[in-house]
Amino acid sequence: MSNTVADRLAKKTRKKAPAKQVRLKLVYVDFWSAVKFSFLVSICLAIIGIVTSILVYVVLQTTGVFGRIDALFMDIVGEENSLMNYIGFPQVAFFSVVVGVLNTIVGTALGAIASLIYNLLVRILGGFQLGFSSN
């Protein structure tokens, strides 16, 4: 009973298939694909930057670092000027959102420019040669 069909199939699946290798050249990057990808990456980085800056502000506020810096600032400049008037939570949140929006615009533009430059350089250099294997 050891020569059943199931035993023969099990023996066939135990053998590893030989890995095939393919060498391809990357000769074109689609402009709109690069723009969409760079936009999504820029949005993700903007969200990370906004959340990080707000978390750092909250941690510094709750640990009292801003209170000590404000006291030192008022000792140097005078009691009527407070640093916390300029670096309050609304100002920090608004600034981080503005920086995130600007980084999104610049990142998307840089992705588009990079795809155009790559497509121009491919005409001269021939592109990247990549190797793939089927494992």
Side-chain angles (χ1 to χ4, degrees), residues 85-134:
N85 293 336
Y86 303 109
I87 57 170
F89 182 76
Q91 289 88 1
V92 170
F94 179 72
F95 181 74
S96 64
V97 168
V98 168
V99 168
V101 168
L102 291 176
N103 281 341
T104 301
I105 294 169
V106 170
T108 304
L110 286 177
I113 291 169
S115 71
L116 290 175
I117 289 174
Y118 181 78
N119 289 335
L120 289 175
L121 287 176
V122 162
R123 293 182 184 179
I124 299 168
L125 302 175
F128 284 115
Q129 189 167 8
L130 306 169
F132 295 98
S133 66
S134 63

Side-chain angles (χ1 to χ4, degrees), residues 1 8 26 42-43 47 49 52 61-62 74-75 79 81 83 87 94 102 108-109 124:
M1 292 302 270
R8 282 187 261 156
L26 180 62
S42 298
I43 287 287
I47 291 171
T52 303
Q61 184 70 27
T62 57
M74 288 192 305
D75 287 343
E79 291 292 325
N81 295 327
L83 190 61
I87 57 170
F94 179 72
L102 291 176
T108 304
I124 299 168

Side-chain angles (χ1 to χ4, degrees), residues 25-103:
K25 273 191 176 182
L26 180 62
V27 294
Y28 179 73
V29 175
D30 185 44
F31 176 76
W32 289 113
S33 295
V35 169
K36 288 187 281 188
F37 181 75
S38 62
F39 176 73
L40 288 176
V41 169
S42 298
I43 287 287
C44 291
L45 292 176
I47 291 171
I48 290 170
I50 291 169
V51 170
T52 303
S53 64
I54 289 174
L55 285 177
V56 167
Y57 178 81
V58 168
V59 167
L60 290 176
Q61 184 70 27
T62 57
T63 56
V65 173
F66 283 145
R68 293 181 192 155
I69 292 174
D70 190 33
L72 178 66
F73 183 74
M74 288 192 305
D75 287 343
I76 294 172
V77 178
E79 291 292 325
E80 64 276 351
N81 295 327
S82 175
L83 190 61
M84 294 311 290
N85 293 336
Y86 303 109
I87 57 170
F89 182 76
Q91 289 88 1
V92 170
F94 179 72
F95 181 74
S96 64
V97 168
V98 168
V99 168
V101 168
L102 291 176
N103 281 341

